[in-house]
Amino acid sequence: MADGAVAQSDVRDRRPHGRLRSLLSPRQEALEALFDTVYRGLGVGIATGIAGAAPFTFALTVLARPLEAWPFLLVCALPIGPAIAAAFAVFGGAASSDRVAPFRDFVRAWRTLAMRALGIWAAFTVVLFVLIVDAGVIWGTVFAALIGPVTAVIAVVVAAGTLHSLAVLASRPGVGAVTAARTGLFLAVRRPLPTLLSLVILLASAMVVLAQPVLGVLGLGGFALLVLHANSAAALASVAPAADREPADPAE
């Protein structure tokens, strides 16, 4: 009789309404994981906004025509690179840590990665400045149809490669800036789908920031960085053997 009751109970648990009840009543572990993810995302977003995006957000807020002052915005955006690298390090270390301390982890990662990440981000800013100037020069000329698409492709590859490079720095603290940049550009070309996904997320985040700077940076910035990190980490993992063969730069 006991065996029959157990069998009937198992059958009831396998029924559709039993599965639905289990979905509507999530376990405590799932709720805790969800809370930790939300708290980490909000914490990283606030930390990134304070440490990296504050000058850029302030410039967007006070300038009457911010797009016309784009060189000044590029300068204000320089601290964003180290902040993104620190955010990636926080998300990357979440799986191996039982505690949730996004602010403390962010500060520690920023101290370790700031200089190398700033070098990569500054190089990206210089390339972006040159590309924007070139686009303005050829705009409306007969060369626009030929050089314009090439400029756009270069901008896409460099932007995605920069994000991947920061992810490489975050996942491998001992790697040099040159090696990380080379690996990031390799990933941007070798893995086109993650590259396009990162750019879509980046453009969507930029549109939100331009419309609502404070909400975009502090409210949604951490979750956008979470998705960008997961995307770059997946791209890096897919070519990990090749990336592992990249030698460290002795000069760094």
Side-chain angles (χ1 to χ4, degrees):
M1 293 293 294
D3 294 340
V6 171
Q8 292 179 358
S9 176
D10 292 340
V11 171
R12 286 196 299 270
D13 291 339
R14 287 194 294 266
R15 291 176 180 174
H17 68 271
R19 291 194 297 269
L20 179 61
R21 184 165 55 248
S22 64
L23 291 175
L24 295 178
S25 302
R27 296 182 179 180
Q28 182 179 358
E29 293 81 359
L31 292 177
E32 290 178 352
L34 177 61
F35 175 80
D36 291 346
T37 301
V38 173
Y39 175 62
R40 185 176 290 110
L42 289 175
V44 168
I46 294 174
T48 304
I50 295 175
F56 185 78
T57 305
F58 179 76
L60 285 178
T61 305
V62 300
L63 292 177
R65 297 178 179 178
L67 294 181
E68 295 182 2
W70 62 267
F72 178 68
L73 291 180
L74 289 180
V75 175
C76 293
L78 284 176
I80 295 178
I84 292 177
F88 284 174
V90 174
F91 292 132
S96 58
S97 178
D98 296 332
R99 59 183 178 84
V100 183
F103 298 101
R104 181 170 56 183
D105 294 342
F106 182 92
V107 172
R108 290 179 177 177
W110 189 92
R111 289 175 178 174
T112 303
L113 303 172
M115 295 307 299
R116 286 172 291 163
L118 181 60
I120 293 176
W121 192 260
F124 163 68
T125 303
V126 171
V127 173
L128 188 60
F129 176 85
V130 173
L131 292 177
I132 294 176
V133 171
D134 289 344
V137 171
I138 67 173
W139 187 264
T141 66
V142 295
F143 301 101
L146 178 62
I147 303 178
V150 177
T151 303
V153 171
I154 294 175
V156 167
V157 172
V158 172
T162 301
L163 290 176
H164 292 326
S165 301
L166 297 177
V168 173
L169 282 181
S171 62
R172 303 177 183 183
V175 74
V178 176
T179 301
R182 186 166 60 244
T183 304
L185 291 175
F186 171 77
L187 291 175
V189 177
R190 181 70 179 272
R191 305 294 297 172
L193 291 181
T195 295
L196 292 177
L197 178 59
S198 293
L199 291 176
V200 169
I201 298 171
L202 192 63
L203 289 175
S205 302
M207 293 177 64
V208 175
V209 170
L210 289 175
Q212 297 290 336
V214 177
L215 175 63
V217 172
L218 300 182
L220 303 178
F223 300 103
L225 290 173
L226 175 61
V227 179
L228 288 173
H229 170 263
N231 191 39
S232 294
L236 181 61
S238 65
V239 293
D244 289 337
R245 289 194 294 269
E246 289 284 351
D249 295 321
E252 294 175 336

